[in-house]
Amino acid sequence: MRKERSLWSDAFNRIVKDKISLISLIIVVIYTLIALLVSMGVIASDWQEIVGPEYAPPSAEYWLGTDFLGRDVLRKTLYGTKVAMSVGLFTCMIAIPVGIFLGSIAGYFGGIIDEIVVWFYTTFSSIPGIILLISISFVLGKGLTAVYIALGATSWVHLCRLVRGEVIKHKNRDYVQAVTAIGGGHWKKLFVHILPNIFHIVIINASLLFQVAIKSEVILSYLGIGVQAVPSWGKMIDDARSELNNDVWWQLFGATIAMFFIVLAFNILGDALRDALDPKLKGKES
Amino acid sequence: MKKFFMPLVLSMFMITTSCTKSDSAKVKADGSLEKVLNIVVGAKVKGFDPNQASDRYSGNEVARIYEGLLQFHYLKRPYELVPNLAESMPEVSSDGLTYTFKIKKGVMFHDNACFPNGKGRELTAEDFVYSIKRMADPREQSKGWWLIDGKIKGLNAWKEKSGKADKTDYSEKLEGIQAIDKYTLKFVLSKPFPQFLYSLAMPFTYAVPKEAVQKYGKEFINNPVGTGPFITGKYTQANKIVYTKNPNYRDEFYPTQGAPGDKERGLLKDAGKKIPLVDKLVVKIMTEEQTRWLNFKKGKLDSMSIPTEEFANVMIPGKGLSDSFKKQGIVERKVVGLDVTYNAFNHEHELFKNNKKLRQAMSSAFDRDSYNKKFYQGVSLAAQSVVPPNIAGHIMNFKGPYQNFNVEQAKKLLSEAGFPDGNGLPEITLHYTYSTKSRQMAEVFQQNMSKIGIKIKPTGVTWPELVKLVNTKQTMMFSMAWGADYPDAENFLQLLYSKNSAPGANGSNYSNPEFDKMFEKAAIMSDSPERTALYEKMYKFAAEEVPWVIGFHRVTYGLIHGWVENSKSIEFDHGMAKYKNINMAKKADLLKKL
C-alpha cells in the first residue's frame, strides 16, 4: 500500500525527479546563496577596488575581465546578483500579500467590493507599466528601496486577477458550504479553507513574478532610474553600449549570462510547479 | 560578433546610397548650385523668443533670426566686440554710466503678416527700448532678467509697478533707456556695469518687433520675425528647421581682418564679400550621438564633435586624424571651451559649512589625470581654480594647492577635519544629470573618494530635477559645468558671490565676506591692470578655499567636412553661420569618396 503524502511533499518529489526542474531549483539555490554571501559581505564587497588595467579581457586572473575603471567584472556581476535577488524577493513580498488580499476579498464578497477592486486593477493595469514605474521612482526618489516599492506596487495585478477567479470558483463548493453549515464565519471560510486550496497558484505566480521583477530592475537600472551607487546588471549592460564598439564584450556577457540563467531557471521552475502542484494530479505518477 | 552585424550594415549602406542620389544639390535660377549648410543640434530647441534663450541651443537658433546692437568679431582673438545693428561702438560718458548708440539706417524686419500689408518695416531705436523693457515685463518672465537686474536706471521700479498694474504699460518713459530720435538710443545705468556691452551681444537683448509680440501673443516663440540674415517660417517643434537667405538683408560684409594665421588657413578668402554666403541653412535636431555620427559620415551633416567611443578610431595618438578620414577631406578642429566643470558642495549643509579641511581633502583625493584620460582623451585642462584660460584673471602656470592628486595629503587633511579614515562621515549624496557617461564619471569620483574612506552615493536625475534640487538647496553635492556668457572672469567669479546663492547662479551657496568684498569691488571696475590683479587675487583665494571640487576646462575635438569654408570655432556662436561658405565643386568631388 502506498504511503499517504501531502500535496507539498508530493510536489517536491515530482520536481526532483525531473532533471531539468531539479537543475533549475539548484540554480535558484545557488543564486540565493550568492546573494546571501554578498549581503553578509563575504564576497564581492570589494567591488570598487581597481584590480587591474582598464578593459582587461577575461583571463585566468580576471575571469570576466575588467571594466572601464579596471574593476573586476566578476565581482560586479556577483554584486548585481544580490541586487537582482533582493529586488525579486522584496517585490514578491509586497505584491503577493496585496494580490492575495484584494483578489480574495473581491472574489469572495463580490458586489460593490468586487467592483471597486476590479475597477482599481483595470485602471492600474491600463497604465503602461514602465511609465508607472518611472513616475513612482520619481516620486519616491532614487535608490533600491524605491525600486522595491515601485515594482511591488505595479506587479500585483496579475495575481489579484487569478486569485479572484479561483475564489469565485471555490466559494460555492461543497466543502465551503460544509463550513457554513457548521457555523464558520467569512474570514474562517476564506483564509482557513479556501486559501490553502488555491495556494498553489500563488506559488507558481511567485516564481514567475520573481523573474519579471529581476528583468524590470535591469531595465530600470539600464535607463538610469534604478539602483544608484552600487553595481547592477542593468548598469553593466548600459556601460556595454559604448564598449561593444571597441570589442569589449565581457561586461555585457557577464550581466546577460547571469540574468539568463536565473530568469530561465525561474521560468522552468514555474512550469514544473504548475504541474507538480495541480491537485488533480495528486497521488498519480508523473 | 562582427560577422553577426554584417547584414545589417550592408542593408543600411544600400539604403543610404540610393538616398544620396536623389539628394543632390538643386540648381538655382541663375544656373549656380544652391549652397546648403547642414548643421546638427544635439538637444531640443525651445523656440525663437530671445527672452527665453537661456540655453545655448535655443540661443543659437534665435541669433539666426534676430540681431542685437553688438556682436563678437568672428575671427579676432581675444574676443572683441564689434557693432552689429549699431552703426558704431557707443559713446560712453566719462563716469561710465551713459551709453549713446547710433543705430544703422535702413534695417528692415522680415516680411510678416504682423506688419501692415505683410511688408517688414524699418527698425528704429524704439524697438530696442521695447525689447529691453520686455525683459523686465513681469508677464513675460524673461530668463534673461538677471543680466540687467538693478543696472538700468528706473527699470526695476517700472518692473515692480507693472507687476502691480493690470496691464504692462510700455508707453511710460524711463530715464534708463530712451530713444532720443529714430536712430539714437541712450542707456543710463544706475551703477557702473563694465560687462554691459557684452550683455548687448547676448540673444536676450536682441531686437524684437512689437507688432509680432502683440499679434502672436503666447505663440510668439514659434513665429520668428527679426532683422537677421536668415528667415524661417512657423516653428512646429519639428526635428528640422530650414532657414533661407533673407533677400532684403542689408549690406553686411565678411571681415577683412582676422587673427594671426587666419589668412594662411584660408579664413580671409571671402574678405569683403556680402554675407550671408550660403542660400540655405538646415538645422537638424538629433539627440542620439550614433545618429549624428552616421549622418556625418554620409556627408549629411557638415560638422560634429567626435563621439567618445569613436575617438580611438578617429584620432590616432601622436599622429592626429586617421588616414581614412584625411583621405575623405575631413579636417579636425580642436575646440578650447571657456568653461569649468565641478562637483560642488552645498555650503548650507552642516557637513561642508565651515569644514575647509574636508573640502580640501576631497579635492586632493580626486585623480584628475586619469579622469582626463578616461573621459576627455587626456586633452582637457585640469582646472586650478574657477576661471578658464584665455581670459584675464586666469593665472598661467598657477598650481592650486589642492588640485593635485595626493592621497597622503588627502588622508592627513581628512583626519585634521575630524574624520580620520572617514570615520564619523555620513554617506555623501552626489547628484548628477543622468547619462551613461556622466554616471561613469560619478563612479570614478566615488571610487577616488573611497580610497580615503569617504562614501559617495552617486544619484542620477534629469536636468530639470537637478536644477530644482539645487535651487531649493536640497543637495549635498552636485555635478555641473559653467560656460561663459561673455569673456570676462566676472562671469565665473559671480558663481561664488553670496548674494547669487540658490536660486541664483551660486548653487553651492558659498558665502565668504572676504570674497564678497573683493567681488563687489571688482564688479564695478572697468578693465584695467588693477581689476585683473583683483581677479587674480580672487582666483587664488578660490583655489585655497576649495568651494567646489574643481574639475576641468574642457577641450574637445570636432570634425568638419572639407567643403565647408570659413569655419572657425567661436565660443559665442550667435548667428555666425552667416559667415560660412560651401565649396560646391569640392563637395561634389568629396561626396564620391565617402
Side-chain angles (χ1 to χ4, degrees):
Chain A
M1 192 182 150
R2 218 168 17 187
K3 226 171 88 188
E4 192 59 38
R5 288 176 303 190
S6 77
L7 174 70
W8 303 105
S9 68
D10 189 48
F12 183 76
N13 284 338
R14 279 166 192 275
I15 287 174
V16 293
K17 259 187 211 156
D18 180 21
K19 248 188 216 154
I20 295 181
S21 313
L22 181 64
I23 292 171
S24 299
L25 189 67
I26 292 170
I27 289 176
V28 172
V29 170
I30 291 174
Y31 273 69
T32 313
L33 274 177
I34 292 174
L36 281 174
L37 288 175
V38 173
S39 303
M40 292 188 295
V42 181
I43 50 169
S45 61
D46 49 357
W47 62 271
Q48 263 201 53
E49 197 187 323
I50 292 174
V51 296
E54 299 153 23
Y55 295 133
S59 61
E61 205 176 341
Y62 325 110
W63 290 2
L64 278 176
T66 63
D67 73 351
F68 70 98
L69 250 173
R71 296 177 299 195
D72 191 6
V73 174
L74 180 63
R75 286 182 199 169
K76 282 174 80 179
T77 312
L78 291 175
Y79 201 98
T81 308
K82 178 221 149 184
V83 170
M85 293 299 279
S86 74
V87 168
L89 183 68
F90 282 97
T91 304
C92 288
M93 278 168 60
I94 296 171
I96 288 174
V98 173
I100 292 178
F101 179 73
L102 290 180
S104 54
I105 60 165
Y108 184 81
F109 293 108
I112 183 82
I113 297 177
D114 188 31
E115 272 181 38
I116 291 172
V117 170
V118 170
W119 174 85
F120 188 55
Y121 72 57
T122 320
T123 313
F124 215 77
S125 61
S126 65
I127 306 169
I130 198 89
I131 308 247
L132 198 60
L133 285 175
I134 291 172
S135 42
I136 289 178
S137 66
F138 274 147
V139 175
L140 295 172
K142 301 287 159 68
L144 208 45
T145 325
V147 174
Y148 297 153
I149 297 174
L151 288 174
T154 52
S155 48
W156 54 270
V157 172
H158 186 62
L159 180 67
C160 181
R161 270 202 189 115
L162 287 175
V163 170
R164 175 179 168 270
E166 284 297 306
V167 171
I168 290 174
K169 213 160 78 187
H170 279 255
K171 74 175 173 186
N172 289 323
R173 290 228 170 133
D174 293 348
Y175 75 94
V176 181
Q177 281 176 356
V179 181
T180 319
I182 60 168
H186 290 315
W187 298 108
K188 192 175 177 193
K189 277 192 271 177
L190 187 51
F191 289 107
V192 180
H193 295 279
I194 299 179
L195 215 53
N197 276 302
I198 59 167
F199 211 72
H200 63 283
I201 303 230
V202 177
I203 301 285
I204 294 158
N205 232 268
S207 159
L208 297 174
L209 184 60
F210 209 100
Q211 50 92 9
V212 171
I214 289 175
K215 283 193 286 187
S216 304
E217 182 273 317
V218 169
I219 293 171
L220 285 184
S221 299
Y222 174 81
L223 293 174
I225 48 183
V227 290
Q228 307 287 336
V230 290
S232 140
W233 296 339
K235 280 155 85 172
M236 291 166 72
I237 296 173
D238 183 31
D239 279 341
R241 277 201 307 169
S242 54
E243 292 169 358
L244 281 178
N245 268 335
N246 298 320
D247 296 338
V248 177
W249 48 267
W250 38 95
Q251 199 152 209
L252 181 73
F253 179 81
T256 44
I257 287 293
M259 195 169 118
F260 172 76
F261 281 115
I262 189 69
V263 169
L264 187 68
F266 267 115
N267 266 317
I268 293 174
L269 207 56
D271 272 352
L273 279 168
R274 191 172 51 224
D275 294 344
L277 284 172
D278 191 340
K280 288 178 206 134
L281 296 175
K282 192 191 165 199
K284 293 182 189 155
E285 290 299 329
S286 51
Chain B
M1 218 61 184
K2 267 181 183 151
K3 218 182 255 169
F4 181 75
F5 284 112
M6 264 319 271
L8 193 73
V9 175
L10 264 180
S11 61
M12 267 171 6
F13 177 75
M14 287 185 297
I15 293 165
T16 37
T17 25
S18 57
C19 279
T20 2
K21 269 178 197 151
S22 62
D23 235 27
S24 56
K26 284 196 189 85
V27 182
K28 290 195 297 182
D30 62 3
S32 63
L33 291 170
E34 188 180 43
K35 289 179 178 173
V36 182
L37 200 59
N38 291 299
I39 299 169
V40 70
V41 179
K44 284 270 172 217
V45 173
K46 278 190 292 192
F48 289 88
D49 186 346
N51 258 349
Q52 304 300 327
S54 56
D55 60 287
R56 183 173 289 217
Y57 313 108
S58 305
N60 283 347
E61 299 314 309
V62 162
R64 306 192 206 283
I65 297 287
Y66 295 97
E67 291 174 300
L69 287 165
L70 304 175
Q71 63 180 341
F72 286 97
H73 194 285
Y74 183 49
L75 301 174
K76 283 188 187 165
R77 300 289 181 276
Y79 291 107
E80 188 183 316
L81 282 174
V82 290
N84 193 8
L85 287 176
E87 202 166 68
S88 54
M89 292 306 281
E91 270 175 43
V92 189
S93 66
S94 55
D95 61 1
L97 290 178
T98 309
Y99 291 75
T100 313
F101 282 94
K102 284 278 174 203
I103 62 166
K104 280 178 184 153
K105 291 176 184 160
V107 176
M108 305 303 274
F109 278 110
H110 302 159
D111 292 347
N112 189 282
C114 69
F115 298 114
N117 303 328
K119 284 300 268 180
R121 65 162 170 83
E122 190 182 8
L123 169 105
T124 66
E126 279 294 348
D127 288 310
F128 281 102
V129 177
Y130 174 77
S131 304
I132 301 288
K133 274 186 180 165
R134 196 168 164 263
M135 284 172 78
D137 184 347
R139 285 170 187 82
E140 293 285 347
Q141 304 205 337
S142 170
K143 298 259 187 335
W145 170 244
W146 61 272
L147 192 63
I148 52 169
D149 184 11
K151 285 162 182 163
I152 294 178
K153 221 172 196 174
L155 198 61
N156 280 59
W158 181 80
K159 182 183 171 77
E160 219 162 280
K161 210 170 102 188
S162 308
K164 287 183 193 135
D166 298 335
K167 207 170 160 265
T168 313
D169 177 18
Y170 278 95
S171 65
E172 190 183 326
K173 296 262 178 286
L174 297 183
E175 195 194 340
I177 171 159
Q178 329 163 22
I180 305 289
D181 59 41
K182 215 174 159 189
Y183 304 111
T184 315
L185 182 68
K186 192 168 105 178
F187 289 98
V188 183
L189 305 183
S190 47
K191 64 177 183 195
F193 176 25
Q195 293 80 23
F196 178 58
L197 291 181
Y198 288 135
S199 72
L200 297 177
M202 285 168 68
F204 288 130
T205 60
Y206 287 3
V208 301
K210 190 157 67 185
E211 293 88 337
V213 179
Q214 279 164 357
K215 181 176 161 69
Y216 296 112
K218 281 219 175 331
E219 276 296 296
F220 173 68
I221 193 165
N222 295 323
N223 286 279
V225 190
T227 58
F230 296 99
I231 300 179
T232 184
K234 193 172 156 57
Y235 179 49
T236 53
Q237 301 284 334
N239 285 330
K240 192 164 141 183
I241 311 174
V242 180
Y243 298 85
T244 49
K245 190 172 169 173
N246 176 3
N248 304 324
Y249 196 58
R250 61 180 185 274
D251 286 344
E252 290 280 346
F253 305 98
Y254 192 89
T256 48
Q257 287 174 336
D262 280 352
K263 200 176 169 135
E264 292 72 25
R265 288 170 53 209
L267 286 168
L268 287 171
K269 227 168 60 183
D270 286 325
K273 277 195 192 153
K274 189 174 178 324
I275 56 169
L277 295 160
V278 294
D279 301 296
K280 211 169 169 184
L281 291 184
V282 179
V283 173
K284 295 169 183 169
I285 298 163
M286 297 177 178
T287 48
E288 284 297 319
E289 198 165 47
Q290 199 62 24
T291 323
R292 297 200 287 272
W293 182 236
L294 292 173
N295 274 279
F296 174 78
K297 290 217 283 192
K298 284 275 120 222
K300 288 170 185 288
L301 298 174
D302 289 333
S303 60
M304 77 171 283
S305 57
I306 304 176
T308 320
E309 55 265 33
E310 295 290 340
F311 200 87
N313 306 327
V314 178
M315 298 293 287
I316 310 300
K319 264 186 69 194
L321 193 63
S322 91
D323 288 338
S324 60
F325 287 92
K326 271 189 195 158
K327 264 185 223 143
Q328 297 174 331
I330 293 170
V331 281
E332 89 270 22
R333 186 171 66 189
K334 193 171 159 184
V335 183
V336 184
L338 272 185
D339 67 357
V340 61
T341 67
Y342 50 91
N343 286 339
F345 303 104
N346 177 5
H347 290 262
E348 285 197 4
H349 194 281
E350 279 312 308
L351 192 57
F352 303 112
K353 205 166 196 175
N354 290 310
N355 214 337
K356 192 156 92 175
K357 298 260 186 210
L358 172 64
R359 305 194 309 256
Q360 290 170 341
M362 290 177 75
S363 185
S364 304
F366 181 31
D367 182 359
R368 290 173 181 77
D369 275 350
S370 67
Y371 192 94
N372 195 356
K373 281 196 199 99
K374 234 165 233 125
F375 299 113
Y376 306 121
Q377 289 80 38
V379 294
S380 284
L381 303 164
Q384 302 303 319
S385 185
V386 294
V387 182
N390 300 326
I391 45 181
H394 174 90
I395 310 171
M396 274 306 225
N397 303 323
F398 173 79
K399 290 272 169 257
Y402 308 102
Q403 297 303 105
N404 225 353
F405 178 49
N406 186 336
V407 176
E408 286 318 304
Q409 175 179 291
K411 280 185 174 160
K412 198 165 144 264
L413 285 162
L414 191 63
S415 67
E416 282 169 24
F419 307 106
D421 294 323
N423 292 327
L425 258 187
E427 192 178 46
I428 298 169
T429 309
L430 171 75
H431 283 103
Y432 63 94
T433 316
Y434 188 83
S435 75
T436 306
K437 193 171 165 189
S438 56
R439 174 171 57 72
Q440 294 179 340
M441 286 172 159
E443 278 178 22
V444 172
F445 187 72
Q446 178 191 26
Q447 205 276 331
N448 281 180
M449 294 305 125
S450 76
K451 282 266 176 258
I452 59 166
I454 298 179
K455 281 200 193 75
I456 300 283
K457 184 185 177 200
T459 302
V461 292
T462 61
W463 173 244
E465 268 184 285
L466 184 68
V467 172
K468 200 175 144 208
L469 286 167
V470 171
N471 284 350
T472 51
K473 308 183 178 179
Q474 289 181 38
T475 58
M476 287 177 90
M477 287 188 80
F478 59 92
S479 296
M480 264 208 192
W482 183 263
D485 291 309
Y486 38 78
D488 188 327
E490 181 261 358
N491 194 231
F492 289 89
L493 295 167
Q494 56 109 9
L495 298 173
L496 300 176
Y497 180 47
S498 70
K499 294 207 174 117
N500 287 349
S501 287
N506 178 8
S508 69
N509 308 308
Y510 176 72
S511 168
N512 185 307
E514 207 181 324
F515 186 89
D516 285 359
K517 231 170 90 189
M518 288 190 278
F519 181 81
E520 278 159 17
K521 195 170 158 203
I524 53 170
M525 287 166 81
S526 51
D527 192 8
S528 59
E530 290 80 48
R531 188 178 74 168
T532 305
L534 193 54
Y535 278 170
E536 287 180 351
K537 207 173 147 196
M538 291 158 85
Y539 180 86
K540 285 184 184 160
F541 189 85
E544 172 65 32
E545 274 283 304
V546 195
W548 320 316
V549 176
I550 306 169
F552 296 87
H553 305 304
R554 285 176 291 191
V555 177
T556 50
Y557 277 92
L559 293 180
I560 305 159
H561 278 299
W563 57 77
V564 184
E565 293 183 336
N566 307 336
S567 180
K568 180 162 181 168
S569 100
I570 176 164
E571 180 76 20
F572 313 99
D573 182 18
H574 304 313
M576 298 308 176
K578 62 187 173 189
Y579 295 118
K580 295 198 175 142
N581 203 352
I582 304 276
N583 185 333
M584 293 308 283
K586 208 169 171 186
K587 181 164 183 173
D589 197 35
L590 286 174
L591 270 181
K592 283 179 211 145
K593 294 187 190 167
L594 294 183

